[in-house]
Each structure stands twice: as C-alpha cells, then as structure tokens.
Amino acid sequence: MIDVIVVGAGPTGLMLASELRLHGVRVLVLERDPEPTRVVRSLGLHVRSIEVMDQRGLLERFLAHGRKRALGGYFAGIDKPWPARMDTAHSYILGIPQTVTDRLLAEHATEVGAEIRRGCEVVGLSQDEDGVTVEPAEGAPLRSRYLVGCDGGRSTVRKRLGVGFPGEPAKNEWLLGEAEVTTPPEELAAVVAEVRTTYRGFGVGPIGGGAHRFVVPAEGVAAGEERTSPPTLDEVRRRLRVFAGTDFGVHAPRWLSRFGDATRLAERYRVGRVLLAGDAAHVHPPLGGQGLNLGVQDAFNLGWKLAATVNGWAPDGLLDSYQVERQPVADDVLNNTRAQSELLSQEPGPRAVRRVLAELMDFEEVNRYLIEKITAVGIRYDFGDGHEQGQGRGRGQPHGLIGRRLRDVQLKRTRLYELMHSGRGLLLDQTGRLSTAGWTDRVDHVTDVSEELDAPAVLLRPDGHVAWVGDDQEDVADHLSKWFGTPTN
C-alpha cells in the first residue's frame, strides 16, 4: 500500500510530495494532464515562500531562474515604496514564471524519491478505516493510507468528498496569454500606460524572446464548457481593441487562458483520511499574487504533520491542527482580495476609499502591515497554550515570537535556515543547558548564539514556526511532547 497519494502536480502537490519524502513517506503524485502546463498564472514568489525554499535548501535554484524585485504596488495596485525594516532576511519578491517554479519543484520531488505519474485522471475515491481507494480513469484502482487533493479550484477530490465550497461565483473574468505583437515598444508602452490610468486590470508587456504577456478584461463570465476552454485569438483581439483602441497586431500565441474572481473557501480541509490543500481548498481573485504562495505554504504546514501521522509518532490533534491553522489564513487572503477588488472599482465610493487608503499607506507602519499580509510574513498561528499571554511554565515570559515563523538569523557558526534542510524540528539553544533527549529521532538540538535573537532558546517546528521560547528543561520537554509526540526510551 502507498503511504500517501497526492492528486495534482501543481506547486502545492509537488511541495507536499517533497515534504513527505523528507520523512521517508512513500508518495505517489497523480496528475491528470499528460504534460506540464504552459500557462503562466503566477509570476513570482512572495517573501514567505522564498523563506520556505531557503529552509529546504532550494533557494539557490530559484534565484538562478528569477529576478529579485523590491517593488511597491502589491496591495490593490497602490504604488508605494517597498517597506523598510521588514522582518525577513529576504526583503524582495522573486520574479519567476510559474512554469519554472513547477519544473524546479518537480525536479526536487523526483530527486527525493516521489513518483509523479502524469496522464492519470482520478475519477472516484472511497475510504474506510484502513485507507483510501482511488479510481483512475484508466487502469486498476490504487490504494493508499492517506490522500491529499491538490487538484485545483474544480477539485474532483473535494467534490467526491462532498465538502461544501461556499462563497461568491465569479463576477468578472480576464483573458490571459502570451503572444507576439507588431506595435513598436515605445508606442505599446505609452498606450498601455494610458489605459492603466483607468483600468488596472489591463496590461501588455514584453517577456523576452519576442513575446508579450497580456491580460485584458473579458466581455463577460464564461459559462458551461466555455469556462474550461481557452479563449480564441479573435476574442483577445476584440477585447484589446475595446480597451486600447488597437489589438497591437497580436499574433502567434504561445498559449491563451481565462480566469475569474470567484471567491470560495472549503468548509472542511479533512474528511477522515482525505485532506485538501491549495486551490482545492480555496479560490480567490489573483490580486496581490497570493494564490500559488498560499498553496505552497499549505503544503509546508501539512507535510510534516501528515508524515508524523503516517510514521506513528504524531501527538493527538496534530493532523487536525492543519485545518485549525491554515483555514483562517486562507480566509484572511479571501478577505484582503475582496477588499482589493473593491478598491479597483471605478465607482466614486470605492475610488474615494482608495484615495484615503493611499494616504494612509504613506505611514510606514500601514504600508508594512499590508505588504506583510500579502507576503505572508505577518502570519501568527494561535497555539492556544497560554504562552502568548506569558502563562507558560518556567519563566512564562510573554514572547512575540510564539506562533510566528522565525526569520533567518545569523548564528556564530552558520545561519538558521542552513540547519532546517532536513525538515526536522529544531531546538536552538543559546544557554547550552537544554536537551532533546527522547526526541533526537525527530528534533535537532543546536547550541549556538545569535546577536539577532532575543531569546534564551527557541523550539522550532519543521515549518519554522516558533513553538516555545524559554530556558527551562521541564517546560521545553512539555512542548516537545505537544508537538513531537511521546519520547523514546
């Protein structure tokens, strides 16, 4: 029996497969499409996803194919400078096409031992107390202990589970693609700049190799089979002429697609042995470029917890903490993309609100708060153990790090993220007096010091979030049990 079947070989599914393999879990990824997609829906990685890649030793690969950008305008297109003093060692956006991200994650998943089976569509599933049975469109049924649906907004897994997906249907739709144009660069840039003074959801720009990427509002929201079909080149030309007065001589498309602004959140992320992640669990407008990043971070949260469950050492409630922690994060993304959508309206009321918010964003703290929301570095999980209020044992000091991810800090001998490539827990001990005895098969103990860390010791989960701060051995043992299960003798 396979340990975990992952349905969907997009960024979420591939990241999850890699995380599971770090813990020796046997993983099979099933992907409906026979070849990787050519459609580029995401253009970059936000700060938290960059940190995720760094924590697993993958960042250099991504940097070799991307471009660092410290640009404003990520919240509703309001053009403000990149905020100063962000709590990260990676204060930039990494511009990189989703197709490259997919390829790099697939290469990594294969390297660590995941099997990716393309051209395998899942049409049904059932589960019992021992595992999950998957029905592919062709071939014999497959059996696994757990299954995770990472198969997108129209998720077959979610539908087969009968999980509700409440929210709002798409009210707007855009046409997206890459093609060549005949309009000279200077003229094209001038026309696009003029259109964007009124329509922020419009753009045409060079991407190299003689091609241009374009996005233009569609005439309406597609229905029926048209929703899953790409637009025609003639449709694209018509819509470009409506907004720009010219179609820029667009021709020779590489690919064409459409996307809408539906906003939905799954009622549950887990039903028995089946879980949901990425767009299968949440869809929202693409404002702020948060979708791919949200899915990758779902996988980063789920991977070690599901692996612990498969390997038999997960404490009670650990797997369920995936939904407890990640569903509110998705809900917040849905909330901020709804707000951004309103701020892009051309109606007088939303335009007035946009002007007021633009003034408020001149205050550095406001600007930083909104960008940290978009880039996910402001996330704080509620661990519910009283530590946030300073009620823990030992000194019980209230510490703002609890529940937050810890940025990469420089240590005397190395840097923090260099110590996290294995996906294990980590006790970073500046006192030299603590121990992880009983958990050494799950948690690394590093004695080192950092001028950047104002804490005697921190216990980090495999996803880099701080589970404990203090200097008391009995206290850290309690938290090791909470997050890493029963100690070995």
Side-chain angles (χ1 to χ4, degrees), residues 12-25 27 52 55-56 58 108-109 112 114 296 298-305 307 420-424 462-463:
T12 303
L14 294 169
M15 189 74 206
L16 177 60
S18 298
E19 288 295 290
L20 291 168
R21 284 300 303 150
L22 287 181
H23 300 276
V25 174
V27 183
V52 164
Q55 286 176 240
R56 293 301 182 259
L58 301 175
H108 176 59
V112 295
V296 165
D298 281 350
F300 205 56
N301 183 285
L302 174 60
W304 70 278
K305 298 175 180 178
M420 305 186 72
H421 294 179
S422 67
R424 291 158 52 90
D463 61 358

Side-chain angles (χ1 to χ4, degrees), residues 154 173 175 218 220-232 235 238 258:
R154 300 184 179 92
E173 188 171 87
L175 309 181
V221 178
E225 294 184 1
E226 187 182 355
R227 290 180 60 202
T228 57
S229 300
T232 65
E235 184 180 356
R238 288 197 302 272
R258 64 177 82 239

Side-chain angles (χ1 to χ4, degrees), residues 104-116:
L104 295 176
L105 289 176
E107 290 173 356
H108 176 59
T110 302
E111 288 169 5
V112 295
E115 179 185 353
I116 303 172

Side-chain angles (χ1 to χ4, degrees), residues 177-192:
E178 293 178 3
E180 296 180 19
V181 301
T182 58
T183 301
E186 296 81 4
E187 180 182 342
L188 183 145
V191 172
V192 171

Side-chain angles (χ1 to χ4, degrees), residues 231-247:
T232 65
L233 185 58
D234 283 343
E235 184 180 356
V236 170
R237 287 169 173 158
R238 288 197 302 272
R239 298 307 294 169
L240 288 172
R241 287 194 292 268
V242 166
F243 284 87
T246 174
D247 62 14

Side-chain angles (χ1 to χ4, degrees), residues 144-162:
S144 64
R145 296 172 66 185
Y146 289 88
L147 180 143
V148 185
C150 304
D151 51 339
R154 300 184 179 92
S155 170
T156 297
V157 173
R158 187 190 65 245
K159 293 174 183 176
R160 293 295 181 181
L161 285 178

Side-chain angles (χ1 to χ4, degrees), residues 326-375:
R326 292 304 297 173
Q327 194 176 47
V329 172
D331 189 50
D332 187 67
V333 170
L334 266 61
N335 186 60
N336 80 59
T337 54
R338 286 186 179 106
Q340 291 182 74
S341 294
E342 292 297 320
L343 291 169
L344 291 172
S345 169
Q346 295 303 305
E347 294 297 318
R351 292 185 71 179
V353 175
R354 181 184 177 89
R355 288 192 292 270
V356 171
L357 182 60
E359 293 175 4
L360 290 174
M361 288 177 69
D362 286 333
F363 293 96
E364 186 174 327
E365 291 300 319
V366 175
N367 188 27
R368 184 186 304 111
Y369 173 80
L370 292 174
I371 298 304
E372 287 186 349
K373 183 181 289 290
I374 295 291
T375 58

Side-chain angles (χ1 to χ4, degrees), residues 268-295:
R268 301 174 64 186
Y269 279 23
R270 179 188 179 191
V271 178
R273 291 177 173 268
V274 183
L275 300 101
L276 302 172
D279 287 354
H282 40 69
V283 294
H284 54 85
L287 300 167
Q290 299 170 85
L292 181 151
N293 295 271
L294 182 60

